[in-house]
Amino acid sequence: MIQKVLDIIKGLQCDAILISNRHSVRYITGYRGDTGYAYISQNRKIIFTDFRYIYQAQAEAVGYEVIDIANDGYAKTIAKVVVEENNKSLGFEEEEVSFAEYSKLKKELEDVTLIPYHGELASLRMVKTSEELSFLKEAEHIGDITFSKILDEIKPGVTEIEIAAKLEYIMKTNGAEGISFDPIVASGLNSSMPHAVPSRKKIEKGDLLTLDFGCKYNGYCSDMTRTIVVGKASEKQKEIYQTVLEAQMAVLNQVKAGMVGRDIDKIARDIIYKAGYEGCFGHGLGHSVGLFIHESPRASLKSEDIVLENMTLTVEPGIYVKDFGGVRIEDMIVLTKDGCINFTNSPKELIEL
Ligand SMILES: [Mn+2]
């Protein structure tokens, strides 16, 4: 691992790098706290954090010095090390460091070149190890259990917020250590908004109801979506549902390692557009999942990412019709040489509750 990071440092032509994305910090150093930076140069490996996390960092980041930023703050403490090491340049993650943090660092390191980088560390995390895959599979399995149990709780009169709270409760009482994102519970017209925030709206008979939720297991995220109908489905609801399902199944049957993101997306998009729903599928088909809920590679209209064996991907086509409602169905898969393994096993025939 450390050699790969040193190679990246070399490629960036930096003397050292700061890592601030907490998922990358965890992946590379083992430190799981949510506050702190990692610093890596040829000669030193350091976690900078504050008093609250010192013992944790010492236990988790094996082989790293742990430096308390104490009263000086990050910029001064980091700058001291850079000067001690006589470094001329320092890499920083351009999408993770705020302008204020950058400015402080620059002020302390006037003679040092700060070199922005992005993506290099995230790309280390794209291909999953068998251990990572086992955690992702278990997280998704907890999602399956949760879906089967939540069905008993859904009835007219219950609010979206109550269902969201119950999803969290069921995930956490079935082995999850937390949620991977706030659950989406969207009923009736709200289901026409792909990322609707659960509201005080009561679930009504005849509603489409979209549940998009995920949890964390040993730090790894799950992600799944099911849409059901509360009561008897109308012909239009059935037609939209079957179109989304057909699009999703086509992808699951054809996707395999080596494909390009936009070609995977196109399999689903063509089916949805041909059914007359052009303009109703405005997001990408899917994203990878790992320590973070939305990772690369992505499958979308323009994605040139190539999916490789042992990368994960969500397959989540949807149709959203204004003033009517929407349907999304999402599974999480891992790519194999000849196809994929689906980590999501919840039923997909239309459920009419
Ligand atoms: Mn997703």
Side-chain angles (χ1 to χ4, degrees), residues 223 287 294 314 316 330:
D223 194 4
H287 54 88
H294 295 125
T314 65
E316 48 179 311
E330 174 181 29

Side-chain angles (χ1 to χ4, degrees), residues 49-66:
T49 188
D50 68 66
F51 176 77
R52 297 170 298 167
Y53 299 91
I54 297 295
Y55 300 151
Q56 184 185 350
Q58 285 169 342
E60 291 173 346
V62 178
Y64 281 74
E65 299 170 56
V66 177

Side-chain angles (χ1 to χ4, degrees), residues 223 285-289 299 312-316 330-333:
D223 194 4
L285 177 73
H287 54 88
S288 196
V289 184
T312 60
L313 191 69
T314 65
V315 180
E316 48 179 311
E330 174 181 29
D331 288 350
M332 187 169 99
I333 64 170

